[in-house]
């Protein structure tokens, strides 16, 4: 006797779901790669290396950080977007790769929404306007207002470093230029690490870096911080003013913060996404990790994948307006 087609399909579907659930529970059976779309030394790299050991302990498999810098984070993001949706390749995405670049670039090699399964927000951080300490002394620059005055008196003579085209570091600088009426030559690097080396060395003049990657250099006196780019002051540097507070009326409403989060290729089993999210949230809630991130100026995340997806959608809309207002564009 022939079994009805609908019953057959339902049976196969149930078996498939059962097999998928069993596979998800046994995952991972080999090392997992976390692609960082920037060079070592920047905040994206710092955060990935903070959670990778925690995930390794939780799952009993190595979580390996793999730096693939280039094209404002687009190179690494594309690698993950084109990877198998099996939970073994993850991306430490950023406000650049998943909030800014869609509006900034005419063409992206990936779709930040359709090509990824959001896992969780790892941390949010303010950017910080930093200048070379010795150069600042020579030029008598101690505040944002003094920097603006110097830049206007010396048009096109200042160089602005960034971690790459399309990053929040780049766009924070473009927004600053637009609102302050200044002009600086933009020098994009493949990450904050090499950009900071040149800033400390005096090859460039200013950078709107993510606070965690500049913190040690600020505390060591090698860089002078002028302001944070967020709407509120940072608990890590409470005496440092916001851009609006330091820059006067021209900087009113200035807000260009950054964020970092884990994503997987679209189609990655929901059970795997959930397991990673739960372990990241658990790690971010431990006193050791939480205190470490807060001390560097980062605010720990850990939200659900659904909440992270809504957050990314809101960021697209926000940064599209910022890109339009700043006039920034990358071919």
């Amino acid at each position: 006797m022939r079994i009805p087609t609908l019953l057959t399909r339902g049976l196969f579907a149930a078996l498939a779901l059962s097999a998928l659930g069993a596979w998800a529970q046994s995952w991972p059976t080999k090392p997992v790669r976390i692609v960082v779309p920037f060079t070592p030394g920047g905040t994206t790299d710092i955060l990935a290396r903070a959670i990778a050991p925690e995930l390794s302990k939780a799952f009993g498999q190595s979580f390996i950080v793999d730096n693939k810098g280039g094209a404002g984070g687009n190179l690494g993001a594309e690698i993950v977007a084109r990877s198998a949706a099996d939970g073994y390749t993850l991306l430490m995405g950023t406000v650049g790769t998943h909030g800014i670049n869609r509006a900034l670039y005419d063409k992206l090699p990936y779709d930040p929404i359709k090509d990824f399964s959001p896992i969780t927000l790892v941390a949010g951080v303010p950017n910080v306007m930093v200048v070379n300490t010795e150069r600042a002394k020579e030029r008598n620059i101690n505040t944002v207002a003094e920097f603006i005055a110097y830049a206007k008196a010396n048009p096109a003579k200042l160089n602005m470093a960034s971690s790459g085209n399309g990053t929040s570091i780049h766009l924070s600088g473009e927004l600053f230029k637009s609102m302050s009426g200044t002009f600086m030559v933009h020098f994009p690097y493949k990450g904050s690490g090499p950009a900071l080396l040149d800033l400390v060395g005096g090859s460039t003049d200013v950078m709107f870096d993510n606070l965690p990657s500049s913190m040690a250099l600020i505390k060591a006196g090698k860089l002078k911080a002028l302001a944070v780019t967020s709407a509120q002051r940072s608990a890590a540097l409470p005496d440092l003013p916001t851009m609006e507070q330091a820059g006067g009326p021209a900087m009113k409403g200035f807000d260009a913060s950054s964020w970092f989060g884990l994503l997987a290729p679209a189609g990655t089993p929901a059970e795997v996404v959930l397991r990673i999210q739960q372990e990241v949230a658990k790690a971010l809630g431990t006193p050791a990790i939480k205190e470490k991130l807060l001390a560097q100026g980062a605010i720990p995340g850990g939200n659900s994948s659904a909440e992270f997806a809504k957050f990314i959608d809101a960021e697209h809309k926000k940064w599209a307006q910022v890109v339009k207002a700043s006039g920034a564009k990358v071919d």
Side-chain angles (χ1 to χ4, degrees):
M1 183 170 125
R2 212 168 189 187
I3 300 175
T5 303
L6 287 177
L7 180 59
T8 305
R9 289 177 179 172
L11 179 61
F12 279 129
L15 290 172
L17 285 173
S18 177
L20 182 60
W23 174 85
Q25 285 302 312
S26 66
W27 175 94
T29 58
K30 62 182 181 180
V32 178
R33 179 171 66 146
I34 301 177
V35 174
V36 169
F38 297 98
T39 54
T43 300
T44 320
D45 184 65
I46 290 171
L47 292 173
R49 294 182 189 280
I51 64 168
E54 303 301 315
L55 292 174
S56 295
K57 285 188 287 184
F59 290 109
Q61 285 287 345
S62 297
F63 278 68
I64 302 165
V65 175
D66 186 11
N67 297 87
K68 296 292 184 183
N74 291 340
L75 177 61
E78 182 185 11
I79 289 172
V80 177
R82 303 290 174 255
S83 295
D86 55 8
Y88 290 100
T89 304
L90 309 177
L91 175 72
M92 181 60 82
T94 71
V95 63
T97 61
H98 283 75
I100 296 173
N101 289 2
R102 182 185 247 182
L104 192 67
Y105 287 81
D106 288 332
K107 293 182 180 179
L108 277 184
Y110 62 92
D111 187 306
I113 301 296
K114 296 179 181 179
D115 290 342
F116 295 89
S117 293
I119 298 175
T120 189
L121 177 72
V122 173
V125 305
N127 288 351
V128 59
M129 183 180 182
V130 285
V131 294
N132 179 285
T133 302
E134 294 304 315
R135 289 282 183 87
K137 287 181 181 178
E138 294 170 5
R139 295 164 175 169
N140 197 30
I141 295 175
N142 297 292
T143 66
V144 172
E146 290 174 348
F147 182 93
I148 292 174
Y150 183 89
K152 286 184 175 180
N154 297 273
K157 291 185 179 179
L158 295 177
N159 297 326
M160 180 183 79
S162 84
S163 56
N165 286 319
T167 62
S168 72
I169 296 171
H170 168 212
L171 208 57
S172 294
E174 293 296 339
L175 186 59
F176 176 86
K177 287 160 62 176
S178 174
M179 293 178 70
S180 64
T182 58
F183 178 76
M184 296 172 284
V185 180
H186 175 222
F187 279 84
Y189 290 76
K190 289 186 177 181
S192 283
L196 287 169
L197 283 175
D198 274 3
L199 183 59
V200 170
S203 300
T204 57
D205 302 292
V206 63
M207 187 173 173
F208 296 79
D209 191 32
N210 302 143
L211 183 52
S213 48
S214 278
M215 183 66 82
L217 295 170
I218 293 170
K219 290 185 174 181
K222 294 182 179 180
L223 291 179
K224 181 176 182 62
L226 300 182
V228 289
T229 65
S230 50
Q232 291 83 34
R233 294 193 182 205
S234 169
L237 293 173
D239 294 331
L240 190 65
T242 66
M243 188 66 72
E244 181 173 332
Q245 292 170 337
M251 295 292 106
K252 184 174 177 58
F254 194 105
D255 185 4
S257 299
S258 299
W259 55 262
F260 308 83
L262 276 179
L263 303 102
T268 298
E271 292 89 343
V272 171
V273 170
L274 178 61
R275 289 183 65 198
I276 299 171
Q277 183 274 326
Q278 290 175 334
E279 292 301 334
V280 172
K282 190 185 298 182
L284 293 174
T286 61
I289 298 296
K290 190 173 183 179
E291 290 171 14
K292 179 180 180 180
L293 296 188
L294 287 173
Q296 294 176 326
I299 302 170
N303 57 1
S304 70
S305 58
E307 290 169 335
F308 189 30
K310 289 180 180 178
F311 175 77
I312 291 174
D313 184 61
E315 285 290 286
H316 275 300
K317 295 171 183 175
K318 168 190 170 181
W319 284 101
Q321 294 176 345
V322 174
V323 169
K324 184 177 180 180
S326 71
K329 206 67 183 173
V330 177
D331 294 327

